[in-house]
Amino acid sequence: TVVYGRIDMLRLSKKADYALMAMAHLALKPGSASAREIAEEYEIPTELMAKVLQRLARQGLLTSQQGARGGYTLARTATGISVADGPVALTACSTHRDRCGQFAKCNVRDPLWRISDIIVSALSKTMVSELAPDVSPEPGGAQVRVLPAPVRA
């Protein structure tokens, strides 16, 4: 679909959108942020944001600290986490005959695998710092100026 001369954006799940929004928020914020703080900032249900943040922490992308001064922080610098590291997961059809009833007749598997490879490559090259281009905190709260990444062809 073409809208105003552009192709519609790739559609992600709400949880993937929220994960990227939260990681960009944490990249811009010195110190930690609670699930409630992030949820309120973006008008997202707190319970849903809490689940998203817990999942990112289990994947090793965030660290969590319990207690009154607790919250979430990026586990690595924003320049060290790619979008493909966890928040955006692609699903693909199986290449195993016993897991796919259409394996023998599938006429789109190979073209879809090529498209998937291109998307995974692009996501792997896109860092969280590019989602929050102004400032990203280093571990320990030091601030680093992050310049926008060059446009890739």
Side-chain angles (χ1 to χ4, degrees), residues 21-145:
M21 291 167 70
M23 291 189 356
H25 180 89
L26 293 169
L28 290 169
K29 184 180 185 329
S32 64
S34 69
R36 180 181 306 276
E37 176 186 334
I38 297 169
E40 287 176 358
E41 175 76 21
Y42 301 102
E43 299 179 3
I44 298 167
T46 303
E47 295 85 16
L48 179 55
M49 180 54 70
K51 288 179 184 179
V52 167
L53 294 172
Q54 290 165 5
R55 184 174 187 183
L56 291 171
R58 280 194 306 274
Q59 291 175 316
L61 299 171
L62 302 181
T63 57
S64 64
Q65 184 71 35
Q66 300 290 337
R69 301 186 70 127
Y72 292 89
T73 58
L74 294 176
R76 302 186 301 264
T77 65
T79 57
I81 302 173
S82 82
V83 174
D85 283 340
V88 178
L90 297 177
T91 58
C93 65
S94 174
T95 57
H96 302 285
R97 293 175 191 265
D98 59 341
R99 295 186 194 163
C100 178
Q102 298 297 318
F103 185 87
K105 297 177 186 175
C106 184
N107 62 351
V108 296
R109 181 182 57 244
D110 292 338
L112 289 178
W113 274 109
R114 285 193 300 275
I115 292 168
S116 177
D117 288 344
I118 292 167
I119 292 170
V120 168
S121 175
L123 293 175
S124 296
K125 294 174 187 173
T126 304
M127 308 312 281
V128 169
S129 59
E130 294 176 58
L131 304 177
D134 292 335
V135 178
S136 66
E138 293 284 333
Q143 300 266 324
V144 174
R145 181 93 176 137

